[in-house]
């Protein structure tokens, strides 16, 4: 059983393709949690308890954990999510060469999947691809405004660079463990990429705070029913003004997004 087999089972069990992004920004965590030993872990535990029944996956972003206490909080978070039966996708966007990328791939000892950056070529992400039981989501067409600075550049073949990335990922998918990161803010590009690589599941960020197209995210993001649509701030900080009830608002936000996406599944 590989990651996408497990993800399919989780999607069916929860009737959900929602990925809850655990971007535990220490500056936005409720004040009553700041004095905890690991505030980010205390925050994430409450969020997981409130949202797990609606979550196909949890997606912590490594940027919010890259300090000593942060790594401890992240390990606790991953273990707790696993205890709830939810797979964890680490949004780390790693890649390098040689021993460096092999060490980066050790992050998969804890997480079930990871995001990687393909712009140094296959050898820079090969140690991730070689982990047959783990998911590897390759950055392809991102939702940030500056994504087109490089991703839309036209190659001599006439195709934009992001299309070449998608085609390469289809070739690299020898173990059936490769997906693409494709933003929800460009629905036409989502549709075109789905036609180009019909078998690769997408991780679709941008639904929620970034205002991405939920219908397109579901219609084109799933490959045979498998894929993830992520919301981070729109869920975990939905109760930012609710004090100790912040987690209830997060649970309600996750449930609403699940219902919204399921209209199009």
């Amino acid at each position: 059983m590989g990651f996408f087999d497990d993800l399919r089972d989780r999607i069916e069990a929860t009737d959900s393709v929602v990925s809850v992004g655990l971007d535990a920004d220490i500056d936005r965590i409720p004040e009553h949690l700041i004095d905890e030993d690991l505030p980010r872990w205390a925050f994430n535990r409450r969020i997981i308890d409130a949202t797990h029944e609606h979550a196909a996956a949890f997606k912590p972003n490594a940027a919010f954990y890259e300090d000593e206490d942060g790594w401890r909080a992240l390990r606790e978070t991953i273990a707790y999510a696993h205890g709830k039966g939810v797979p964890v996708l680490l949004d780390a966007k790693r890649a390098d060469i040689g021993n460096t990328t092999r060490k980066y791939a050790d992050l998969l000892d804890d997480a079930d999947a990871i995001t990687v950056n393909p712009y140094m070529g296959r050898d820079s992400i090969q140690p991730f691809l070689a982990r047959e039981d783990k998911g590897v989501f390759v950055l392809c067409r991102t939702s940030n405004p500056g994504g087109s600075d490089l991703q839309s550049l036209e190659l001599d073949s006439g195709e934009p660079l992001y299309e070449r990335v998608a085609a390469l990922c289809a070739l690299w998918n020898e173990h059936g463990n490769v997906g693409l990161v494709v933003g929800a803010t460009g629905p036409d590009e989502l549709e075109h990429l789905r036609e180009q690589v019909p078998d690769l599941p997408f991780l679709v960020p941008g639904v929620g705070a970034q205002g991405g197209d939920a219908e397109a995210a579901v219609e084109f993001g799933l490959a045979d029913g498998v894929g993830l649509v992520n919301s981070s701030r729109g869920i975990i900080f939905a109760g930012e003004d609710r004090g100790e009830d912040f987690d209830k608002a997060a649970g309600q936000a996750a449930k609403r997004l699940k219902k919204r996406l399921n209209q199009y599944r």
Side-chain angles (χ1 to χ4, degrees):
M1 292 283 285
F3 170 75
F4 288 115
D5 297 311
D6 292 338
L7 181 60
R8 179 186 298 279
D9 290 344
R10 179 67 189 173
I11 289 169
E12 291 176 354
T14 57
D15 191 28
S16 177
V17 293
V18 172
S19 165
V20 177
L22 298 177
D23 297 356
D25 187 342
I26 197 71
D27 294 327
R28 297 181 70 175
I29 288 176
E31 287 187 15
H32 67 278
L33 297 178
I34 294 299
D35 291 334
E36 296 279 345
D37 179 42
L38 294 173
R40 284 164 287 190
W41 154 230
F43 176 77
N44 286 345
R45 183 174 66 243
R46 294 276 296 274
I47 294 292
I48 290 170
D49 284 341
T51 64
H52 70 91
E53 63 184 296
H54 309 300
F58 287 112
K59 185 179 74 67
N61 191 308
F64 295 96
Y65 302 93
E66 292 189 342
D67 57 79
E68 184 177 354
D69 285 347
W71 289 118
R72 288 173 57 210
L74 180 60
R75 286 193 292 270
E76 294 288 351
T77 295
I78 292 173
Y80 194 71
H82 285 163
K84 297 288 187 180
V86 188
V88 176
L89 161 60
L90 182 61
D91 194 352
K93 302 179 179 70
R94 296 293 201 262
D96 211 310
I97 56 173
N99 289 335
T100 308
T101 197
R102 285 192 286 274
K103 291 301 293 182
Y104 278 148
D106 287 346
L107 291 167
L108 287 171
D109 290 344
D110 295 311
D112 305 291
I114 196 167
T115 60
V116 299
N117 189 324
Y119 289 98
M120 290 177 67
R122 176 168 181 160
D123 59 329
S124 69
I125 61 173
Q126 180 57 36
F128 302 95
L129 299 174
R131 299 288 290 266
E132 299 181 25
D133 59 330
K134 303 291 186 175
V136 184
F137 285 94
V138 181
L139 294 177
C140 180
R141 184 66 179 101
T142 59
S143 56
N144 61 301
S148 60
D149 291 348
L150 295 176
Q151 296 162 20
S152 295
L153 291 178
E154 187 174 303
L155 305 179
D156 288 342
S157 61
E159 64 184 332
L161 180 57
Y162 72 84
E163 288 186 17
R164 177 66 62 85
V165 170
L168 286 171
C169 287
L171 293 175
W172 297 342
N173 192 29
E174 297 170 0
H175 303 305
N177 62 343
V178 176
L180 299 180
V181 180
V182 185
T185 53
D188 292 340
E189 293 168 349
L190 258 172
E191 180 178 9
H192 183 69
L193 283 169
R194 174 51 66 215
E195 293 172 353
Q196 184 179 357
V197 286
D199 299 325
L200 297 186
F202 294 173
L203 166 65
V204 185
V207 172
Q210 296 180 56
D213 189 320
E215 182 175 1
V218 173
E219 183 175 358
F220 306 120
L222 308 183
D224 192 25
V226 177
L228 292 168
V229 180
N230 185 76
S231 176
S232 299
R233 291 166 290 167
I235 292 177
I236 66 173
F237 297 125
E240 201 164 17
D241 59 351
R242 302 273 191 92
E244 294 196 12
D245 290 333
F246 74 94
D247 53 334
K248 294 179 182 177
Q252 292 163 357
K255 184 177 181 179
R256 283 195 302 271
L257 180 57
K258 171 182 171 178
K259 183 177 180 181
R260 179 181 170 203
L261 296 177
N262 281 352
Q263 296 178 65
Y264 310 116
R265 286 178 60 205

